[in-house]
Amino acid sequence: LFAALEEQETIARLLDATHEAEGIQIFIGTESPTFQHAGWSMVMSPTRDTQGRLIGAIGVIGPTRINYGRIIPIVDYTAKIMGKLLG
């Protein structure tokens, strides 16, 4: 998993998918062409400044059966707060 995330191509695909998104993006194991790791999932949200420009992304990687109901609001809130602090 870490070796795949260290590859620039994997990171670029994840950031491109997040950049086009308006909110939370969920990548579930091999079901997603962007994040293809069996048994793992990723919840990501873009971080935008006060003008709406993309400045980064916040995400959580965990098992496929992660508690999505708990993780999604945390990632969303953190991304919004980081955008306000940085923008």
Side-chain angles (χ1 to χ4, degrees):
L1 176 64
F2 291 112
L5 289 174
E6 287 178 352
E7 293 177 16
Q8 290 182 355
E9 182 180 317
T10 302
I11 298 296
R13 282 185 296 170
L14 289 170
L15 288 175
D16 283 343
T18 304
H19 176 40
E20 297 169 1
E22 290 296 320
I24 297 286
Q25 291 289 296
I26 302 171
F27 305 100
I28 301 175
T30 57
E31 294 176 11
S32 169
T34 306
F35 185 72
Q36 298 179 357
H37 296 283
W40 295 96
S41 63
M42 178 181 277
V43 178
M44 288 185 72
S45 180
T47 304
R48 301 186 185 277
D49 63 10
T50 53
Q51 287 81 33
R53 295 177 300 203
L54 182 71
I55 55 175
I58 301 288
V60 171
I61 299 173
T64 303
R65 296 176 188 229
I66 196 169
N67 184 347
Y68 294 99
R70 182 169 170 90
I71 296 299
I72 290 170
I74 292 171
V75 170
D76 187 41
Y77 177 77
T78 304
K80 288 177 181 172
I81 293 298
M82 291 301 293
K84 288 180 181 178
L85 290 173
L86 297 174

